[in-house]
Amino acid sequence: MSSIRLSTFFTILAIILSFSKDSFAENTKAKRPKIGLVLSGGGAKGLAHIGVLKVIEECGLKIDYISGTSMGSIVGGLYAIGYDAGSLEKLARVIDWEDLIGDQVSRDSLSIDEKDDHDKYIGSFPLKKWSIELPKGLIRGQKLTTMLSRLTIQAQSIKEFADYPIPFLCIATDIETGKAVVLKNGYLPDALRASMSIPSVFTPIEIDGKLLVDGGVVRNLPVSDARKMGADIIIAVDVGSPLYKKNEITSIAEVMDQSVSFLGAKSTREERKLTDILILPDINGYNATNFQDAEKLIQNGEKAAREFIPKLIAMAEEQKKFAIEKKKELSISCKIYIKEVRIEGLNKVSENLVLGKFLVPIPALVSPEELEEGINRIYASQFFDRVTYELNWDENGYVLKIRVIENTATFLKLGFSYDSDMRAGIMVNTTFRNLLGQGSKLAVDARLSEYPGLKLSYFIHSGWRKPGIGLGTSLEYNRFNFYSYKNKDVKGSYNFNEISGDMIVQAVIYNSIALGAGLQKNYNDINSIVSVDEPNRRDIESLNYYCFINVDTLDSTFYPKSGFRLYGEARYYTDDFPVGKSFGITSIGRSTRFESFQKYTAKSTMAVPVHKKVSVFLNLAGSAVVSTDRYSVNVDKTYGLQVYKKEIPFVYKNYLGGLYTYKNEYFPFAGLSYMQVNGKNAAMAQIGVQIEPWKDKFLIFRGNAGKAGYYLSTVFNMKSLIYGCGVTFGMNSIIGPIELSILYGSVKKNVLFNVNIGYRL
């Protein structure tokens, strides 16, 4: 009986063990090997990762985890949230990498009251306690952050990177401790931006109280991190450069690069040992900035990955034996509904100023492009070091969080200029923001030159959003020499000194339109250097009332290829309330009195692209004076009664001549010397073609016609028109435009030469 029971016991045990074995096999089968993809840093060389992804997709292999550093984090992060290799390849080709890395504020984003200072200075240096403070990085990376925010907009509500369609992490370096920081949650654009913040090139990013720079400093190939995520098999792509050999270290750049690469190189050697498949694209001859070679780098990545196609296909076939794990998909419509805006980081700047620059009505359906443009306008206000945004899903819509870091530094800006009319000069600017009220701007501009100038200006935003109304005041001094002409001959030369003070109220509409009105006190002191029929000194004072419209959509201050600019002004000149004598600046008996008059001025420029390298431009300008002609009677003992017509002061007449303009009364005219032709009324038209045969090299052909005279009817009489033409060879350089112009006009009937180097005074 006992033997039967024992036999029965072993039979039951065998059955149990058999079921356990089958169950174990099924459990083993249910857990397929997890594939981890590791992408290294390498700047532009990291575009080779896209070629590897193309081959991985071609083989049908599914990736379960992604870890990346620097450029590898950007490619890997975008792939993790749903971009495929084809989309990434298209992005790599269409992104303007030079503009992105250059990080210059686009002129379109600037408020119209900031456009005149754009592209005017060679360098900008932050000042603290009246000493120059070097920045933490050469590039703030605002454009890069904004682009990453737009590209990751569908994932911004997901705070855990493990919850992406493909779980993801990236590596940064704590610049304080030198330790690696694993970023696996939070705001994805900040994490990607921190991971690729090359020390001294990009400014560090602060996350959770840590100041972070490029992860490649300590761990450029984060294989161990992918293992910790749960990867069983690792595919690693390394595009990091090896350490320089002795004969390759030829400059301070290589010395600095080598000094920060030792730790990362040691880490990479250790991490490579943990890989199953190591792909090494050919990066010889490429460096971290060769973004223009995107297509070739992608091809090199694809070529290197194809050597592993048998292994990749085998892994993909093995994956097919297991049940397909459905991955979540992140998508976003063409427009998203934003129901609320919250702003973080404001201290001295008002919320109304930020929303006034944002210009996106909320609540509303907003496209990612509209959102990005609004953020760019806030940053371009010059009140902030950094502006980012984050979208968080709430009931029935998104809450937009705009995060700002206020600009606390005062900036010293320097520029250089030389041209044939105004000679050489150094321009210096210091701007204080929020010093005298929220949203205020106090600027000091000086021109150190043979013809010096100084301008103190103050402007404060009222806080109104639409339109952005503000109040301003300024005090300006200018001095220069000019000639008077009789036909083509020089008649006299004069020294001109001008002091003017303005108070204005201005409304800015959509960044490109400004409407305003002002009151100006103007004083002019003109001294004759050589003149046969003019007094040795003439003082002219005026109190002027004016209103204006300013429109500017040009894409560039110099060599614009598209856009429109218009300045229109109506001004009423009077000699009321003379104060020069009271302050001792007017010569007794020399102050010129005149009858009040009105003056209407308009200037416009339009640039139209007809080809990516060719644009056509049209300049129109004109000014008309409305005054009452009065006559004075002078009794001369020899000749009897003499009747004189009292004209407006000659400094307020309109002038044609020169290639560039410096005052509203002066109209550029190719073929005439500076201020060569003048009249109470004037009009001119100029048409030209601008060709860019090579990048930043320009060839400009222009021709113009116009006239100046006492009566408006004679100005628009086609008889006796003045003509001129010219050709300009120009280029953009580190010190600004460099131009040589050859000009010819119908007045002098000889060839003129004009040289311009640097920015306009």
Side-chain angles (χ1 to χ4, degrees):
M1 187 72 178
S2 60
S3 61
I4 295 174
R5 289 177 178 176
L6 187 62
S7 174
T8 302
F9 170 76
F10 280 112
T11 300
I12 293 172
L13 180 62
I15 293 171
I16 292 173
L17 290 174
S18 175
F19 278 114
S20 299
K21 182 178 180 182
D22 291 341
S23 176
F24 177 77
E26 289 177 4
N27 288 337
T28 302
K29 185 176 181 180
K31 294 182 179 179
R32 69 170 177 80
K34 300 291 186 178
I35 309 297
L37 178 65
V38 180
L39 304 177
S40 79
K45 296 174 292 183
L47 297 175
H49 296 320
I50 299 172
V52 175
L53 288 171
K54 288 177 66 177
V55 175
I56 287 175
E57 288 183 356
E58 182 184 315
C59 294
L61 185 64
K62 307 300 179 184
I63 301 300
D64 298 293
Y65 303 103
I66 298 178
S67 66
T69 296
S70 196
M71 193 64 183
S73 73
I74 294 177
V75 175
L78 295 179
Y79 196 74
I81 64 174
Y83 287 84
D84 59 22
S87 299
L88 293 174
E89 183 176 20
K90 183 178 179 180
L91 280 174
R93 288 175 173 171
V94 300
I95 289 174
D96 187 342
W97 292 100
E98 183 176 346
D99 177 66
L100 195 69
I101 302 302
D103 203 40
Q104 295 296 313
V105 176
S106 66
R107 200 171 188 275
D108 291 339
S109 301
L110 286 167
S111 177
I112 195 165
D113 49 343
E114 301 283 352
K115 290 181 188 285
D116 284 345
D117 291 336
H118 189 59
D119 291 339
K120 191 175 181 180
Y121 300 100
I122 298 172
S124 178
F125 308 94
L127 296 176
K128 283 194 176 179
K129 296 181 180 180
W130 299 103
S131 62
I132 293 178
E133 181 183 73
L134 294 177
K136 294 177 182 177
L138 297 176
I139 302 171
R140 291 182 182 178
Q142 173 68 27
K143 279 195 171 182
L144 178 60
T145 300
T146 305
M147 183 197 72
L148 292 174
S149 297
R150 174 169 50 83
L151 295 178
T152 62
I153 201 168
Q154 67 269 41
Q156 289 185 20
S157 287
I158 302 175
K159 303 308 175 188
E160 296 295 330
F161 300 169
D163 293 334
Y164 292 159
I166 302 176
F168 170 75
L169 63 78
C170 59
I171 306 298
T173 302
D174 187 335
I175 195 62
E176 181 181 7
T177 64
K179 294 181 179 179
V181 176
V182 179
L183 300 171
K184 52 186 178 181
N185 53 40
Y187 180 57
L188 180 59
D190 273 356
L192 301 180
R193 170 68 175 79
S195 181
M196 57 79 59
S197 296
I198 303 170
S200 75
V201 177
F202 286 96
T203 54
I205 296 296
E206 185 173 340
I207 298 178
D208 296 332
K210 298 176 181 178
L211 201 59
L212 305 181
V213 297
D214 196 308
V217 174
V218 291
R219 190 145 71 240
N220 199 45
L221 192 68
V223 178
S224 56
D225 301 280
R227 290 286 187 193
K228 291 175 183 177
M229 293 175 78
D232 301 302
I233 299 174
I234 296 291
I235 301 171
V237 186
D238 189 3
V239 293
S241 298
L243 292 173
Y244 293 109
K245 299 184 183 303
K246 179 181 177 181
N247 61 343
E248 294 175 328
I249 302 176
T250 59
S251 70
I252 189 172
E254 283 86 17
V255 172
M256 292 177 63
D257 189 16
Q258 187 88 324
S259 63
V260 298
S261 298
F262 288 115
L263 186 59
K266 180 181 178 182
S267 169
T268 296
R269 288 194 296 269
E270 297 300 319
E271 295 288 318
R272 281 188 175 189
K273 297 175 183 177
L274 304 176
T275 64
D276 297 289
I277 295 178
L278 178 61
I279 300 175
L280 301 172
D282 181 9
I283 56 170
N284 289 329
Y286 298 99
N287 59 46
T289 62
N290 288 142
F291 288 100
Q292 72 276 8
D293 296 315
E295 186 171 353
K296 183 61 177 176
L297 286 164
I298 292 171
Q299 291 174 356
N300 287 0
E302 188 175 346
K303 181 179 179 181
R306 289 197 176 281
E307 297 179 9
F308 296 89
I309 279 184
K311 290 184 178 181
L312 297 176
I313 291 178
M315 292 165 61
E317 292 298 322
E318 186 65 22
Q319 283 183 333
K320 292 177 182 178
K321 297 178 182 179
F322 300 87
I324 298 175
E325 298 179 13
K326 188 175 181 180
K327 295 181 179 180
K328 64 189 76 176
E329 293 184 1
L330 301 178
S331 61
I332 190 167
S333 59
C334 295
K335 292 196 173 185
I336 54 178
Y337 180 71
I338 300 176
K339 67 175 190 176
E340 183 183 349
V341 176
R342 298 173 187 169
I343 304 172
E344 294 183 354
L346 291 178
N347 183 22
K348 294 184 177 181
V349 181
S350 71
E351 181 176 300
N352 278 339
L353 186 146
V354 176
L355 295 176
K357 297 297 182 184
F358 187 51
L359 289 177
V360 178
I362 301 297
L365 282 169
V366 181
S367 70
E369 290 74 21
E370 290 171 328
L371 181 55
E372 182 175 359
E373 288 172 2
I375 296 299
N376 288 340
R377 284 191 293 268
I378 296 172
Y379 179 70
S381 71
Q382 313 290 304
F383 283 97
F384 305 103
D385 275 337
R386 192 163 184 259
V387 182
T388 60
Y389 69 90
E390 183 176 343
L391 287 166
N392 294 304
W393 178 257
D394 201 355
E395 293 183 13
N396 305 318
Y398 283 94
V399 174
L400 172 64
K401 184 191 297 182
I402 299 176
R403 299 179 296 180
V404 301
I405 298 176
E406 291 185 353
N407 192 342
T408 58
T410 298
F411 286 87
L412 175 68
K413 299 178 182 179
L414 300 174
F416 169 77
S417 179
Y418 172 84
D419 70 60
S420 301
D421 297 317
M422 299 296 285
R423 304 295 188 266
I426 295 175
M427 296 174 294
V428 181
N429 167 273
T430 304
T431 301
F432 305 85
R433 296 185 186 272
N434 300 312
L435 182 65
L436 301 175
Q438 287 188 342
S440 67
K441 174 186 175 183
L442 175 64
V444 181
D445 292 271
R447 184 174 68 245
L448 310 178
S449 165
E450 179 182 352
Y451 304 136
L454 179 67
K455 182 177 181 180
L456 307 176
S457 61
Y458 173 78
F459 191 87
I460 185 167
H461 296 269
S462 65
W464 288 23
R465 297 184 192 175
K466 297 178 182 180
I469 294 178
L471 303 173
T473 183
S474 65
L475 179 65
E476 186 171 3
Y477 167 76
N478 286 290
R479 179 171 70 82
F480 60 89
N481 292 348
F482 67 94
Y483 298 99
S484 63
Y485 294 85
K486 186 174 183 180
N487 295 324
K488 64 179 181 179
D489 299 320
V490 175
K491 178 182 175 183
S493 63
Y494 306 87
N495 177 261
F496 175 82
N497 294 272
E498 179 187 47
I499 301 173
S500 61
D502 289 72
M503 292 187 295
I504 68 166
V505 57
Q506 176 180 276
V508 176
I509 304 172
Y510 294 112
N511 258 24
S512 58
I513 303 174
L515 302 172
L519 173 68
Q520 181 189 69
K521 183 62 180 176
N522 181 260
Y523 171 76
N524 300 277
D525 175 30
I526 300 98
N527 295 291
S528 297
I529 300 173
V530 176
S531 180
V532 294
D533 55 1
E534 293 285 348
N536 291 332
R537 178 174 177 179
R538 182 178 297 182
D539 300 305
I540 301 169
E541 273 191 81
S542 65
L543 182 68
N544 312 321
Y545 309 85
Y546 61 96
C547 59
F548 64 88
I549 179 172
N550 193 8
V551 181
D552 192 340
T553 65
L554 293 178
D555 61 349
S556 176
T557 305
F558 305 99
Y559 311 118
K561 298 177 182 178
S562 65
F564 176 73
R565 181 163 58 196
L566 167 69
Y567 181 81
E569 179 186 274
R571 186 177 290 255
Y572 182 58
Y573 290 83
T574 76
D575 62 357
D576 298 339
F577 305 106
V579 297
K581 186 175 179 180
S582 302
F583 288 95
I585 59 175
T586 301
S587 301
I588 298 176
R590 296 292 187 183
S591 183
T592 300
R593 303 304 301 271
F594 59 90
E595 297 291 335
S596 300
F597 64 93
Q598 303 162 45
K599 187 175 185 180
Y600 301 91
T601 303
K603 295 180 175 182
S604 68
T605 296
M606 181 171 62
V608 179
V610 295
H611 182 270
K612 64 180 181 179
K613 295 286 187 180
V614 181
S615 59
V616 175
F617 62 88
L618 174 67
N619 299 329
L620 298 174
S623 184
V625 170
V626 178
S627 63
T628 302
D629 292 333
R630 294 180 180 271
Y631 297 85
S632 62
V633 178
N634 179 46
V635 179
D636 187 281
K637 293 181 180 180
T638 304
Y639 299 101
L641 292 177
Q642 293 184 352
V643 179
Y644 297 95
K645 184 178 291 186
K646 296 182 67 175
E647 294 192 23
I648 65 173
F650 76 96
V651 294
Y652 299 137
K653 289 183 178 181
N654 296 297
Y655 290 84
L656 301 178
L659 207 52
Y660 312 111
T661 182
Y662 303 99
K663 289 174 63 69
N664 284 333
E665 294 85 358
Y666 308 158
F667 302 147
F669 196 98
L672 291 178
S673 298
Y674 185 55
M675 297 175 63
Q676 183 173 350
V677 174
N678 70 76
K680 183 178 175 182
N681 302 286
M684 62 83 63
Q686 182 181 91
I687 190 169
V689 178
Q690 177 178 282
I691 305 170
E692 188 180 12
W694 302 279
K695 185 173 176 57
D696 287 330
K697 310 292 190 301
F698 299 90
L699 185 61
I700 302 169
F701 300 92
R702 71 187 96 209
N704 44 228
K707 199 173 182 182
Y710 186 84
Y711 295 105
L712 188 61
S713 58
T714 61
V715 170
F716 289 97
N717 188 323
M718 299 303 290
K719 294 180 179 179
S720 304
L721 282 177
I722 299 170
Y723 298 95
C725 60
V727 58
T728 297
F729 305 91
M731 62 178 290
N732 277 319
S733 72
I734 193 171
I735 61 171
I738 299 176
E739 297 177 342
L740 172 62
S741 299
I742 304 172
L743 312 163
Y744 180 84
S746 61
V747 175
K748 282 194 171 183
K749 295 183 179 179
N750 60 356
V751 176
L752 302 175
F753 295 92
N754 188 286
V755 176
N756 175 73
I757 301 173
Y759 302 103
R760 312 277 192 264
L761 293 177

